[in-house]
Amino acid sequence: MILNIPTRQLFSWDGFSGVQVVALPGDACFALNHGVYLTDAENRVCNIIYKGSKEKISLAALPDGKVPLVSGPVFFSRAVAEKLLQTHVTSPLDGCTYLGMDSGAPPLEISLFLDILVCLCSDLTEHEFINGERAGCSSSSGPQGAAVRSGRAVLWRTLRGANISMLYIPEGRYDYLTQSGREHVVRLTESGSETMILSHIQEVKCVSEGSRVINSVLEGDVRVSAGAVVQHCHLQGPVQVHSGCLLSGLDLTTSSCIQRLPLSSDIIVQGHRVMLGELKLTVYTAFGAHDHLEAHADDVTASFLNQKWSEFYSRTGIQPLDLWGPERTESCCLLDARLFPVFMPHSGPVGLEGVCWLLGGAGVRDSWKEAWRLSLRDIVILTDQQTELRWREELFFSVGRRRAVGALQGHTDLNLLPFFRAAALAGQQEALLQALDQVAANSSGDLGVAARCLACIADVLGCLAGEGKGGLRSGPAANPSWAPAFKLLEDGNLPAGVQELANQRKHWFSRPDLLVRAARHYEGAGQILLRKAVMSARQFVFIGRGEMPPMGEWQEVECPARLDLSGGWSDTPPIAFEHGGLVVNVAVKVDGKRPIGARVRRVPKPHLLLVSASGEPSCSFSTETLCEDLTDLEDYCQPHAPGALLKAVCVCSELVCVSSPVSLKEQLLQRWGGGLEIHSWSSLPHGSGLGTSSILAGAALAAVYRCTGRSFDTNSLIHDVLYLEQILTTGGGWQDQVGGLFGGVKLARSAAQLPLRVEVEQLSLPQHFQSVLQQHLLLVYTGKTRLARNLLQDVVRSWYACLPSIVQNAEQLVTNAEECAEACREGSLLRLGECMDTYWQQKKLMAPGCEPAAVRSMMNALQPLSLGQSLAGAGGGGFLFLLTREPQQKKPVTEILSNIQGIGSFSVHSVDLDMDGISVIQKSSEHPEQQQTT
């Protein structure tokens, strides 16, 4: 019996006493051969009816029309269990145990359900229980009648009075193994709603609804009709599986024969792995779904291949003597008929062709008679279970590999992690890794697929290391051993890079820590390909040529910060181009000022002077980097190198070419007539969550382009920053630069495709809503620098693994962003607040650990004042922004936060919507304090 209970089923043990039985729903006709519980209105069991009449069984019917079938689980309370244990040393019940039998007590059979549990049922009297004859248990009037009656009397005295109740599980079910082919097929086709279970099917449209394909590979035109089942098979079309048919255990070598089989409906064809002495063979059988295996051949109901035996004899010329031998006994049934050819003395094993002749196909009777043949009973006895299970396991992993390849190449969101874990546990990783290598190497035209393949290989290596072993998955990935493979990928030689990764991988299998380190390097390799995929956005950058401003004239730009109102994370590659991203954000001034800016001027000396300043003016600090040689720029791709962002700006804007044989000085003189001095600043704290680095990159690019006489539009800047962050190797999405370079409230989107293109729509707000919104928006600096490391890497890893919660959350992020945009168009603060709250919950699901305890305390305390709130950006610290119920709530917010113990320093800031976005401020070289905004 196979028992199926929903995992969400809850058992309550509060106040549990007596005995509780578990019942599952069944049809009254099915219950004729099984047991049912008869209960009262309070689910107390009154009686157990085993193989009862229709009338008796109908008494147990429940409101849903089903009857409660007796199933295996029975729960005894401690008190009843102790009483039951007492009986095992009490005669004659000691004969039920090996201790009693070893002590000389006569053996006695007692039924759990029909003796022990029936003893507790309220409908039975003592006389009925002790003396009654019940199907399925020892007779009270047979040879052991006295012992049976005595044993029941002991049970009555010991257990009677304990309560017995029933737990009915409407969604549960169970199946008994059956010798009826038809019952087996019907149960398979009616169980669950999924047609294809752990299978790989090339032509899905050929598999009809109402059929079942289980643990199988179907290649080509394999048509499976409704009501048919294919399990544990590898088939190559064209094959037609008619309704009511079951194909099981057939490997690829049988496909040509199956294509010739004269299959009709309701035929069962199976392959069995058997052991004949030292000989391992696959034996093939066929019979009809309506055949009764144990019906005597002379019985009117007996059949083979759904036709009467007499018709079969007439069609084939086979005689009963050929099937059952000279002595016809009670064993003259299908189960014992030696029908199925196994081995030809002169030519070896017989394949599926032997079954083909039985079905009416090609073949001759003499060949059939000459062959060694087995009956179904023989085959069951001789089945090599180890080989059979190994075949099914190998097929399972073959299916899994094909499904993995199909999911990767087809851009589906199938969660592959469970299969990776299974492959690692079963030692099937080598074939899986080779399959993933092949997909990655052949994906030069779709670097997104190649990147995901390498992430999948990292997951397989992590599974091989074992849960919680080998260290953290996130970590460094710059071991020199992997450098040759990384360089090949950087150079665009994907097949060679993938092969070199595989060559290096072989040396990292011996310990869990080595496997985890190898996984980190595969993720690093995947990040290289991901960056290259995102770099396709540069084709949407359009830079014009114009006249350069005079030497020494500053070109200065200022930018607002951005607040992400909804949709963040959906803009992050690969989510942005695999699922599609949608973000609503707003450009803001903090305390009335634009906090981010850059200025650039040309200077006569041919060098690059890079100055970065950060922090509030009263406590800011700056770093100065002087580049006089190309080697000074080579670390532009190392985010923590001094001046890395501004170096990347120099490379991205093509001020100079780092790989050129021409020196830095010569390039600067030839192109720009001298060097450049580049300054950038931000008055926001590090890790603010307001998009500082991306907006700063956009500001610096804009100032450089203006200083060198080049024109651009804001849309080009958006994509240019996306490209810059890839060469800087920080990655990240596109919403930060959209938020700070475009003014006002925007809805930005990217389609699920490469090249990655961002489209921005500035939302039209109702009259006065801008003023209302900024009166209700507040920023709170939490005083917490982001502590949660590797948020981006963790999110990308979860996305690549297609964890169902992450895939669903990405869809909901986009849906919520659409809701948020509509709330802004309507001017509804209430709806906007709800979207912000929803967004914060989505962020926490996307990146667990992004809500520090102190921030949680702040948000809980501010809840009564707010319509909605969220940490800005990825979370983990930085700024908290909230939409207050009432306008001008800076003072009340400050007072509430001041009364919270243990949150540390914080500050509250006003918010003004910036409708302009990036703004150019012209300054003269002589008087930089004189400025004009344009």
Side-chain angles (χ1 to χ4, degrees):
M1 183 181 71
I2 298 173
L3 182 67
N4 188 324
I5 295 177
T7 53
R8 61 182 176 275
Q9 182 69 42
L10 297 178
F11 295 87
S12 175
W13 303 109
D14 294 340
F16 171 58
S17 64
V19 176
Q20 187 169 61
V21 296
V22 174
L24 304 180
D27 297 322
C29 58
F30 181 76
L32 290 172
N33 292 314
H34 301 282
V36 297
Y37 292 116
L38 184 63
T39 60
D40 61 16
E42 296 179 355
N43 278 332
R44 289 191 295 254
V45 180
C46 303
N47 204 350
I48 299 176
I49 304 169
Y50 180 65
K51 292 189 175 181
S53 63
K54 286 185 177 181
E55 293 73 18
K56 283 188 176 181
I57 290 172
S58 66
L59 297 174
L62 298 172
D64 61 5
K66 301 290 186 177
V67 293
L69 296 173
V70 173
S71 65
V74 179
F75 296 94
F76 289 84
S77 67
R78 176 177 297 190
V80 178
E82 288 175 349
K83 290 181 178 179
L84 181 60
L85 284 173
Q86 293 172 12
T87 65
H88 88 279
V89 293
T90 305
S91 178
L93 294 180
D94 56 347
C96 298
T97 72
Y98 78 86
L99 286 175
M101 293 171 62
D102 288 354
S103 301
L108 178 66
E109 289 186 1
I110 289 292
S111 166
L112 167 64
F113 292 95
L114 300 176
D115 286 316
I116 296 175
L117 295 188
V118 164
C119 171
L120 306 178
C121 294
S122 58
D123 276 5
L124 273 75
T125 66
E126 181 178 4
H127 179 78
E128 289 171 335
F129 171 68
I130 294 175
N131 297 286
E133 292 289 343
R134 293 185 288 277
C137 61
S138 300
S139 171
S140 61
S141 59
Q144 278 192 304
V148 171
R149 293 192 300 274
S150 176
R152 289 178 180 176
V154 172
L155 291 175
W156 185 271
R157 291 195 305 271
T158 307
L159 301 177
R160 186 64 176 181
N163 174 57
I164 179 170
S165 59
M166 178 185 76
L167 175 65
Y168 179 65
I169 304 177
E171 295 180 0
R173 64 180 175 83
Y174 69 87
D175 294 310
Y176 280 97
L177 297 178
T178 174
Q179 288 189 342
S180 166
R182 182 62 191 156
E183 278 187 31
H184 184 67
V185 172
V186 169
R187 288 182 191 177
L188 284 174
T189 54
E190 290 183 352
S191 60
S193 58
E194 193 174 351
T195 298
M196 294 160 284
I197 305 167
L198 298 174
S199 295
H200 173 75
I201 301 173
Q202 271 190 351
E203 301 292 338
V204 176
K205 64 180 182 296
C206 293
V207 178
S208 302
E209 190 170 344
S211 63
R212 288 292 181 274
V213 180
I214 304 167
N215 191 36
S216 296
V217 175
L218 306 186
E219 299 181 86
D221 184 19
V222 180
R223 299 181 177 272
V224 185
S225 303
V229 177
V230 177
Q231 62 181 13
H232 313 306
C233 290
H234 186 170
L235 304 179
Q236 173 70 55
V239 172
Q240 175 70 55
V241 187
H242 296 281
S243 177
C245 286
L246 166 65
L247 302 186
S248 178
L250 307 182
D251 62 25
L252 188 60
T253 61
T254 64
S255 290
S256 59
C257 187
I258 295 171
Q259 292 165 11
R260 301 190 304 271
L261 276 183
L263 278 178
S264 58
S265 298
D266 300 319
I267 296 295
I268 296 173
V269 179
Q270 294 178 282
H272 310 264
R273 281 84 196 155
V274 301
M275 176 79 80
L276 281 171
E278 297 297 319
L279 193 61
K280 290 189 175 184
L281 298 170
T282 300
V283 182
Y284 297 94
T285 62
F287 54 95
H290 298 285
D291 296 344
H292 294 278
L293 298 185
E294 294 183 325
H296 195 280
D298 295 334
D299 193 304
V300 292
T301 64
S303 63
F304 176 54
L305 296 173
N306 301 322
Q307 60 183 194
K308 294 188 176 185
W309 280 106
S310 57
E311 297 173 6
F312 174 73
Y313 300 150
S314 175
R315 176 172 65 82
T316 62
I318 292 175
Q319 298 300 314
L321 188 65
D322 300 323
L323 301 177
W324 292 287
E327 296 183 5
R328 299 196 65 188
T329 65
E330 292 182 0
S331 65
C332 292
C333 61
L334 175 54
L335 192 61
D336 292 300
R338 293 189 297 276
L339 279 159
F340 307 109
V342 179
F343 196 85
M344 295 293 289
H346 303 295
S347 56
V350 177
L352 194 57
E353 293 80 2
V355 167
C356 184
W357 178 70
L358 292 174
L359 286 164
V364 293
R365 185 186 63 176
D366 290 345
S367 295
W368 177 87
K369 291 185 70 173
E370 184 184 354
W372 298 355
R373 301 188 308 278
L374 296 175
S375 68
L376 281 171
R377 192 186 300 275
D378 296 331
I379 291 169
V380 170
I381 294 170
L382 295 171
T383 294
D384 183 350
Q385 295 186 19
Q386 186 177 19
T387 303
E388 180 68 39
L389 292 175
R390 188 182 301 120
W391 153 252
R392 296 183 183 190
E393 182 185 57
E394 289 174 356
L395 188 58
F396 168 79
F397 287 110
S398 174
V399 166
R401 291 191 295 272
R402 292 165 185 268
R403 280 162 59 90
V405 169
L408 291 166
Q409 294 178 335
H411 302 87
T412 68
D413 55 10
L414 179 66
N415 178 16
L416 298 174
L417 262 182
F419 174 67
F420 293 165
R421 293 191 186 103
L425 287 169
Q428 294 277 344
Q429 67 273 4
E430 192 57 40
L432 173 58
L433 290 170
Q434 289 176 4
L436 295 173
D437 286 339
Q438 188 172 5
V439 175
N442 294 332
S443 298
S444 298
D446 192 337
L447 291 180
V449 169
R452 188 179 174 194
C453 282
L454 298 188
C456 286
I457 293 174
D459 280 336
V460 174
L461 296 175
C463 292
L464 286 169
E467 190 74 29
K469 297 180 180 178
L472 298 174
R473 277 290 300 275
S474 297
N479 187 291
S481 300
W482 298 85
F486 282 20
K487 184 164 191 319
L488 288 167
L489 297 178
E490 293 280 12
D491 293 343
N493 192 343
L494 181 60
V498 171
Q499 183 58 54
E500 183 59 31
L501 285 170
N503 293 340
Q504 184 57 224
R505 183 177 70 212
K506 298 174 184 176
H507 307 296
W508 295 71
F509 279 86
S510 60
R511 300 196 312 265
D513 62 307
L514 294 178
L515 284 162
V516 170
R517 288 165 62 195
R520 293 173 187 160
H521 285 81
Y522 261 95
E523 287 187 347
Q527 289 166 9
I528 293 172
L529 300 184
L530 180 58
R531 291 197 297 271
K532 285 184 168 292
V534 177
M535 284 180 183
S536 62
R538 202 173 201 199
Q539 62 186 269
F540 305 114
V541 177
F542 304 101
I543 305 298
R545 296 287 178 180
E547 186 177 343
M548 282 192 292
M551 180 76 70
E553 181 176 293
W554 288 104
Q555 300 298 314
E556 184 170 332
V557 298
E558 285 184 349
C559 297
R562 74 93 188 92
L563 287 180
D564 50 320
L565 300 179
S566 61
W569 283 121
S570 74
D571 67 302
T572 304
I575 303 173
F577 62 78
E578 290 187 349
H579 175 273
L582 188 72
V583 176
V584 175
N585 61 27
V586 58
V588 296
K589 297 174 184 174
V590 181
D591 293 331
K593 298 177 182 178
R594 295 190 183 101
I596 300 164
R599 66 174 181 265
V600 182
R601 67 175 177 178
R602 290 192 296 128
V603 294
K605 194 168 184 179
H607 66 203
L608 295 171
L609 179 60
L610 313 177
V611 182
S612 302
S614 60
E616 297 180 9
S618 60
C619 58
S620 66
F621 66 95
S622 63
T623 59
E624 187 174 298
T625 305
L626 181 64
C627 300
E628 298 181 301
D629 191 272
L630 287 176
T631 56
D632 297 329
L633 288 168
E634 287 179 347
D635 57 357
Y636 71 89
C637 58
Q638 299 175 25
H640 298 295
L645 177 64
L646 295 182
K647 289 177 182 178
V649 167
C650 295
V651 174
C652 181
S653 63
E654 298 179 348
L655 275 181
V656 293
C657 177
V658 178
S659 60
S660 171
V662 181
S663 70
L664 175 66
K665 293 181 179 180
E666 290 177 356
Q667 289 188 56
L668 290 172
L669 289 171
Q670 290 172 8
R671 296 184 181 189
W672 318 116
L676 280 86
E677 185 176 341
I678 305 174
H679 291 240
S680 68
W681 64 88
S682 165
S683 61
L684 298 171
H686 178 68
S688 67
L690 300 183
T692 305
S693 59
S694 299
I695 300 170
L696 197 60
L701 284 169
V704 166
Y705 286 140
R706 286 186 59 82
C707 183
T708 53
R710 289 178 281 177
S711 60
F712 57 89
D713 60 18
T714 309
N715 199 57
S716 290
L717 273 186
I718 298 300
H719 294 87
D720 217 5
V721 172
L722 199 53
Y723 178 83
L724 180 147
E725 292 186 327
Q726 306 315 308
I727 66 171
L728 183 60
T729 71
T730 53
W734 43 254
Q735 73 129 329
D736 292 347
Q737 57 264 38
V738 169
L741 302 183
F742 280 94
V745 183
K746 292 86 58 181
L747 183 151
R749 69 180 79 236
S750 62
Q753 63 185 39
L754 286 173
L756 180 55
R757 182 172 191 171
V758 184
E759 297 176 332
V760 182
E761 174 193 350
Q762 291 183 292
L763 298 179
S764 177
L765 306 181
Q767 192 175 11
H768 307 307
F769 185 62
Q770 174 188 343
S771 174
V772 171
L773 182 57
Q774 61 191 15
Q775 289 181 45
H776 286 261
L777 271 176
L778 278 178
L779 273 175
V780 177
Y781 182 60
T782 64
K784 306 291 180 290
T785 301
R786 184 179 305 157
L787 295 176
R789 306 281 181 189
N790 306 304
L791 282 182
L792 175 61
Q793 195 173 355
D794 291 342
V795 169
V796 170
R797 183 183 303 123
S798 298
W799 173 259
Y800 273 142
C802 290
L803 299 182
S805 60
I806 297 298
V807 173
Q808 183 181 14
N809 197 39
E811 181 63 39
Q812 292 170 347
L813 280 165
V814 169
T815 302
N816 188 57
E818 291 169 342
E819 288 279 334
C820 183
E822 195 57 36
C824 292
R825 292 189 186 103
E826 290 180 0
S828 172
L829 286 178
L830 183 62
R831 281 187 67 187
L832 177 58
E834 290 172 351
C835 290
M836 287 168 55
D837 276 342
T838 299
Y839 179 37
W840 177 235
Q841 299 306 315
Q842 292 168 342
K843 281 186 182 182
K844 289 192 291 184
L845 181 60
M846 209 70 173
C850 69
E851 184 183 52
V855 172
R856 189 180 308 116
S857 298
M858 290 180 172
M859 297 179 81
N860 290 339
L862 294 173
Q863 187 65 43
L865 291 184
S866 68
L867 293 170
Q869 51 185 330
S870 171
L871 279 180
F879 278 94
L880 165 69
F881 65 96
L882 65 154
L883 189 68
T884 59
R885 297 179 185 275
E886 302 296 332
Q888 308 295 341
Q889 293 292 293
K890 184 175 182 180
K891 185 177 179 181
V893 166
T894 303
E895 291 174 352
I896 288 175
L897 295 178
S898 299
N899 293 323
I900 303 176
Q901 297 292 325
I903 64 170
S905 61
F906 68 91
S907 54
V908 183
H909 304 265
S910 64
V911 174
D912 295 311
L913 270 62
D914 188 305
M915 306 307 291
D916 299 318
I918 186 169
S919 300
V920 178
I921 299 169
Q922 295 177 342
K923 285 188 176 183
S924 70
S925 58
E926 300 297 329
H927 303 286
E929 71 278 2
Q930 297 176 359
Q931 59 187 40
Q932 180 182 0
T933 302
T934 61

